[in-house]
Each structure stands twice: as structure tokens, then as C-alpha cells.
Amino acid sequence: MAGYKIDRQVVAFGEHVRGWRMVLGLTAQQVAERADITRDTLRKIETGDPGVSFRSVVQVLRALGVLDQTVDAIDPLNSDIGRLRAGNLTKKRAR
């Protein structure tokens, strides 16, 4: 069941990427060129293909101008729980 939810979220993520492209009035070709990827790779990202490289996704987010927002969104220090447990960020892993 968890895999199904992740698949849905990957598809939703791709739809949001496409939404940003459309809102910005950019063609798939323009975004692909700016991200230095193929249009086929962009299509895979926009349709939620989980086999696309993380680097390609990041390049597209940068090309759309939303990479900084995305990185900030997952910064643990931008959340109450993250600030509360910030001390855990400096602890070394047990070997």
C-alpha cells in the first residue's frame, strides 16, 4: 500500500512540474534546453516516471526557477519539529 501512495505522489510531483512550466508559459523544448536534458526526460519527469535521475529533476527545478523553494521546503530547520530537535543534526552516527 505504501508503494501505491508514493507512486501517486511522484505522479503529483510531475504534474506540479508541468504546472509550473505552463504557468511560466514555457514550452517543453525551452525547459529541456534550459535544464540540459532531452524532451523525453522532461516528459518522464512530468508524468511521474520514477526512473528519472535525481540530477535531471533538480536541473528542471532550477530551469523553472523553483529549486531554491524546493530546497527550503525540505530544510528541517524550517519546521517546528526540526528546530526543536536541531541538536540531532550535529550528532555523529554510531558505527
Side-chain angles (χ1 to χ4, degrees):
M1 246 358 229
Y4 175 71
K5 183 173 182 176
I6 289 172
D7 291 345
R8 284 193 338 233
Q9 290 174 321
V10 170
V11 169
F13 183 89
E15 289 171 352
H16 294 327
V17 169
R18 184 175 186 273
W20 270 108
R21 179 173 64 77
M22 309 255 329
V23 164
L24 295 171
L26 298 170
T27 67
Q29 186 63 39
Q30 289 171 315
V31 173
E33 287 175 5
R34 291 178 185 186
D36 196 28
I37 61 171
T38 65
R39 282 182 54 198
D40 186 56
T41 298
L42 178 60
R43 181 191 57 75
K44 288 177 180 179
I45 291 168
E46 290 185 351
T47 59
D49 183 329
V52 177
S53 79
F54 184 71
R55 182 174 185 80
S56 293
V57 172
V58 170
Q59 287 172 222
V60 168
L61 296 176
R62 187 194 66 220
L64 294 172
V66 296
L67 179 58
D68 289 342
Q69 288 172 245
T70 306
V71 171
D72 288 345
I74 64 165
D75 180 349
L77 295 178
N78 284 338
S79 72
D80 291 339
I81 188 91
R83 285 186 295 275
L84 182 64
R85 298 181 179 175
N88 293 350
L89 295 173
T90 58
K91 291 181 182 174
K92 302 267 184 190
R93 290 186 196 172
R95 291 184 188 232

